[in-house]
Amino acid sequence: MSVAESWSRVMSLLREHAPADHADLPGPATEQMIAAAEERMRISLHGDLRTWLLQNNLDLPEEDFDDEVQCCGFAGFPDEGSFFLGIRAMERLYANRSTSCGFDPPDQPDYPFWRNEWIPFLSDQDGWSGKFIDVRDGRVGSWFVGDPTVTGEYESMAQYFDSVAATLTRIAGGSSRVSRFSEGRLVWS
């Protein structure tokens, strides 16, 4: 399944079970927005990330953006503690993580905490944990400050979005103890 198909499945589940949350999400990014972000970040985004952004750029509206926090997004989706990033939030977190030598820490090129080839697409509010896509091969990994970074957690963004769709399906079926759909929203207990 392609990233576009996997993301469409997530959006269909959200539209069906949490229509209020679905209605809050903004429209797609434009090619110009993506090209400008690539120029500012000095890196080409992976094709899956581009495809996803062209379906939904999940940046908050300008008036809801909070300069006091590292990352802003739509709270509670895809889970309670993190949210998908739009282009503006990706750039901000990427700028905070990237280094002049290409990886951090500089003395551990084989086991870095961060590499400049990793583009974050999901994060907590503080930027302490989240998921990234490796622009070299499209694999999805995760980081958590203070723990080893996990690379290749998912083979692709499509595989990751399939896992999000599976979670939403479990929630819709009532088999989640920590979340449910209520009054058109995804609610976490």
Side-chain angles (χ1 to χ4, degrees):
M1 191 174 281
S2 73
V3 70
E5 293 166 327
S6 294
W7 183 249
S8 290
R9 188 170 158 228
V10 169
M11 289 293 96
S12 292
L13 287 161
L14 202 61
R15 184 174 36 257
E16 178 182 351
H17 300 288
D21 284 338
H22 184 271
D24 288 345
L25 300 178
T30 65
E31 284 287 351
Q32 294 81 5
M33 292 168 71
I34 293 171
E38 287 176 321
E39 187 174 319
R40 287 187 295 270
M41 293 178 358
R42 296 187 199 117
I43 193 164
S44 294
L45 301 182
H46 186 271
D48 282 355
L49 185 57
R50 293 178 73 80
T51 298
W52 177 59
L53 288 168
L54 289 169
Q55 289 186 311
N56 285 95
N57 173 27
L58 297 174
D59 270 329
L60 287 174
E62 195 70 41
E63 62 272 8
D64 294 337
F65 195 79
D66 185 351
D67 284 329
E68 299 298 316
V69 298
Q70 177 62 41
C71 297
C72 292
F74 292 88
F77 177 66
D79 59 45
E80 183 177 26
S82 60
F83 41 82
F84 291 116
L85 304 176
I87 292 175
R88 184 176 55 233
M90 277 180 203
E91 278 189 77
R92 185 174 181 167
L93 185 53
Y94 182 80
N96 187 44
R97 295 277 179 236
S98 62
T99 66
S100 60
C101 72
F103 47 87
D104 181 30
D107 61 339
Q108 295 184 19
D110 295 329
Y111 301 102
F113 169 70
W114 192 261
R115 297 188 70 82
N116 287 0
E117 294 92 358
W118 299 341
I119 308 294
F121 69 90
L122 179 132
S123 179
D124 67 340
Q125 184 172 328
D126 299 319
W128 288 73
S129 65
K131 298 215 178 293
F132 60 84
I133 184 169
D134 190 324
V135 300
R136 298 171 299 176
D137 59 16
R139 293 183 312 147
V140 172
S142 60
W143 83 91
F144 188 91
V145 172
D147 285 346
T149 299
V150 177
T151 59
E153 184 177 8
Y154 296 93
E155 287 300 312
S156 66
M157 285 185 83
Q159 189 182 57
Y160 170 69
F161 290 142
D162 284 344
S163 76
V164 172
T167 299
L168 292 174
T169 300
R170 280 193 302 279
I171 294 168
S175 62
S176 173
R177 289 180 270 165
V178 297
S179 58
R180 67 189 187 291
F181 292 110
S182 177
E183 299 180 11
R185 299 226 178 251
L186 180 57
V187 179
W188 299 89
S189 346

